[in-house]
Amino acid sequence: MTSTSPTPSVNTALFEHLREILVGKLHIAPEHITVDATHDDIELDSLALVELSLVLAKELGVHVSDDELARTPTVAAIVHLIEERSAAAHAGE
């Protein structure tokens, strides 16, 4: 059985924020969103990835393309990608 709480290696606050975006903006069932959930598990298709890319830019100021999101195998990988981009953006300020 899969746990809905993130593993220690995932930024919990960022996971929860991403989860809120996935539920609120993309209408994904919250019980399906786990750190090890794949795009198929949460029904994240190519159109949803484009929308997620736009929402991340607007809400978090993090620019990640839909192609980059498509290469992330799990929700945890999306969280790590957002963290990397956020750190890079802040380093450039």
Side-chain angles (χ1 to χ4, degrees):
M1 186 168 159
T2 304
S3 171
T4 58
S5 61
T7 61
S9 65
V10 175
N11 179 319
T12 304
L14 189 52
F15 170 80
E16 290 301 329
H17 196 131
L18 177 60
R19 192 170 196 259
E20 289 172 16
I21 289 170
L22 293 171
V23 172
K25 305 283 186 188
L26 302 180
H27 311 290
I28 296 172
E31 61 273 12
H32 294 140
I33 304 169
T34 63
V35 292
D36 58 347
T38 66
H39 295 189
D40 288 339
D41 292 340
I42 59 174
E43 299 177 8
L44 202 60
D45 62 16
S46 59
L47 184 59
L49 290 173
V50 170
E51 187 173 356
L52 179 58
S53 174
L54 295 171
V55 171
L56 292 174
K58 183 178 179 181
E59 290 197 11
L60 301 178
V62 176
H63 298 282
V64 179
S65 74
D66 55 303
D67 289 334
E68 291 170 308
L69 289 170
R71 290 191 294 266
T72 58
T74 63
V75 171
I78 295 172
V79 171
H80 289 299
L81 180 59
I82 295 168
E83 277 184 307
E84 288 172 10
R85 288 301 162 82
S86 180
H90 288 105
E93 291 179 351

